[in-house]
Amino acid sequence: MSSNKRPEHQAPPEIFYDEVEARKYTQNSRMIEIQVDMCERAVELLCLPEDKSCFLLDLGCGSGLSGSVLEEAGHAWIGVDISKAMLDVALERQVEGDLIHGDLGQGLPLRAGMFDGAVSISALQWLCNSDKKSHNPVKRLLQFFTTLYTSLKIAGRAVLQFYPESSDQVELVTLQAMKAGFFGGLVVDYPNSTKAKKYFLVLMTGGSMPLPKALGAEETDSTVPYNDKRLTFNKMKGKSLKKSRNWILEKKERRRRQGKLTKEDSKYTGRRRCGKF
């Protein structure tokens, strides 16, 4: 997905998904098919007990397309979304789940230990943007993951499908999830396909367990665990990983605010060098 076509670069979600866009999204048969397929895969990755109705959380539930998948699988659910227009369409569709109008970046106003699991389809990448001066993606992601962790039962899982813009964004998201207490990592389905490639962040609360096998990855290892890094996250205090591209850009911006001479940013900023010539 090219940068200029990414919805999160065009406007904040509550503005981008207005009444017109909400209805267009919900009536597009291709979008419905993609949403259903990804939600079914997310439910599969949750590894829920068979023949048991569970209580699930749908993060960025939109018009309730994913909720309908959860209903068909026999589960009860609650959905949270920042777009009122999307939630209005969900009400018109008479979804069975309860709906909450809220900003995921401000945390989840939910009781501790409520849910057996959580799913999210195409919502997580929106939290990586600063849509307002008060928005700090690192702090918003940490607040989101911390309250998500609290809302899940012991041994509960969360599976969040998202479209990362870069490896730095993947690192940003996964680090904040691990800092909040989660174990787990990335499962990348069809890693060698440009169109079919999908990223699923699989998070666990009950300790480290092997990640599910990725689809279409017989010859390559496309699961990326992050368990080994977890012990260092308590020292980070919401900051970017030291010497990462984000950390360097933040440091350069501070120097500019201090009036110090600072080189211009470029595509080479933060790039690792081998040290040999």
Side-chain angles (χ1 to χ4, degrees):
M1 186 182 295
S2 64
S3 177
N4 61 339
K5 291 184 179 180
R6 297 179 71 94
E8 65 269 24
H9 288 176
Q10 299 178 39
E14 66 272 26
I15 296 176
F16 181 84
Y17 288 110
D18 56 13
E19 185 175 345
V20 174
E21 192 67 29
R23 294 188 183 280
K24 185 192 303 183
Y25 187 96
T26 309
Q27 294 170 0
N28 186 314
S29 59
R30 176 60 178 160
M31 293 302 298
I32 294 173
E33 180 183 357
I34 294 173
Q35 183 92 2
V36 168
D37 288 346
M38 291 192 297
C39 187
E40 288 178 344
R41 174 60 172 155
V43 173
E44 180 182 345
L45 292 171
L46 281 178
C47 299
L48 298 170
E50 295 183 7
D51 302 322
K52 177 184 177 183
S53 178
C54 295
F55 191 31
L56 304 179
L57 178 60
D58 185 0
L59 301 157
C61 63
S63 58
L65 296 177
S66 296
S68 297
V69 174
L70 302 180
E71 293 168 13
E72 292 178 5
H75 304 302
W77 62 282
I78 288 179
V80 182
D81 202 281
I82 195 172
S83 170
K84 187 176 184 304
M86 279 289 206
L87 295 177
D88 287 341
V89 174
L91 289 174
E92 291 178 11
R93 296 181 62 245
Q94 298 182 339
V95 296
E96 295 180 9
D98 292 327
L99 304 173
I100 298 174
H101 183 213
D103 178 3
L104 298 180
Q106 293 182 356
L108 302 169
L110 299 165
R111 192 174 69 247
M114 281 185 68
F115 299 96
D116 298 297
V119 297
S120 179
I121 306 299
S122 307
L124 186 58
Q125 66 269 13
W126 291 87
L127 294 180
C128 298
N129 290 342
S130 298
D131 295 321
K132 300 177 182 178
K133 289 184 178 180
S134 61
H135 283 184
N136 180 319
V138 174
K139 292 182 179 179
R140 284 169 58 78
L141 282 165
L142 182 57
Q143 178 70 7
F144 164 65
F145 283 122
T146 300
T147 52
L148 173 59
Y149 183 93
T150 303
S151 71
L152 294 173
K153 294 180 179 179
I154 297 176
R157 285 193 181 194
V159 176
L160 301 90
Q161 180 276 328
F162 70 116
Y163 293 103
E165 187 176 358
S166 64
S167 58
D168 283 342
Q169 196 172 90
V170 171
E171 185 176 52
L172 170 67
V173 168
T174 52
L175 284 176
Q176 298 313 307
M178 300 302 121
K179 186 178 179 184
F182 282 109
F183 293 86
L186 277 180
V187 173
V188 185
D189 284 350
Y190 306 106
N192 300 316
S193 171
T194 302
K195 292 185 177 181
K197 188 175 184 178
K198 294 292 183 294
Y199 290 81
F200 293 88
L201 183 60
V202 180
L203 303 176
M204 312 170 192
T205 62
S208 178
M209 295 182 65
L211 289 172
K213 183 177 177 61
L215 300 179
E218 289 80 4
E219 299 179 0
T220 59
D221 183 8
S222 58
T223 59
V224 186
Y226 287 86
N227 305 327
D228 295 339
K229 299 181 180 180
R230 182 175 180 270
L231 296 179
T232 66
F233 297 151
N234 290 332
K235 303 177 182 178
M236 294 183 59
K237 298 182 180 179
K239 298 179 181 179
S240 299
L241 183 65
K242 190 171 183 179
K243 296 187 179 181
S244 68
R245 177 178 171 83
N246 286 336
W247 182 85
I248 293 172
L249 291 173
E250 290 171 3
K251 184 176 180 180
K252 292 177 73 175
E253 185 60 31
R254 286 196 300 272
R255 288 178 59 85
R256 293 189 184 102
R257 289 197 297 266
Q258 295 167 0
K260 297 180 180 179
L261 183 62
T262 307
K263 291 184 178 181
E264 294 293 323
D265 300 336
S266 73
K267 65 179 180 180
Y268 300 106
T269 300
R271 178 176 290 186
R272 292 185 179 181
R273 294 171 173 78
C274 66
K276 297 180 180 180
F277 296 93

